[in-house]
Amino acid sequence: MANIHAHLSPPHQLPPLELDQQEKLEENFKNNRNPSDLDVILIAAEVDLPEHVVKKWFQHRLACWRQKQGLPANERPVND
């Protein structure tokens, strides 16, 4: 696994994204909240972003999702 751990980052620490990049990341998140290393590489190529940026985005997005579910934001992966 890509070791995606939920981590809520301050908004100013998140990279600026184009609308189409954001949409593609959200689509991937809906399909898989905890992508593997290979998935991160493929997603990064798809959205034209460095892998570390994609991983950070998934960590932040997972933390936001956890908060909406009533769970602590900064925790280990949740597999459904």
Side-chain angles (χ1 to χ4, degrees), residues 9-38:
S9 301
H12 70 276
Q13 290 183 355
L14 297 174
L17 301 173
E18 300 290 328
L19 181 59
D20 62 323
Q21 291 172 320
Q22 182 72 29
E23 289 172 350
K24 288 177 185 175
L25 288 169
E26 283 291 342
E27 183 179 322
N28 280 286
F29 184 80
K30 286 180 185 177
N31 294 326
N32 183 4
R33 287 186 286 276
N34 294 299
S36 67
D37 290 332
L38 178 59

Side-chain angles (χ1 to χ4, degrees), residues 17 20-21 24 42-51 53-54:
L17 301 173
D20 62 323
Q21 291 172 320
K24 288 177 185 175
L42 295 173
I43 294 166
E46 178 185 359
V47 297
D48 194 27
L49 290 170
E51 293 168 34
V53 171
V54 171

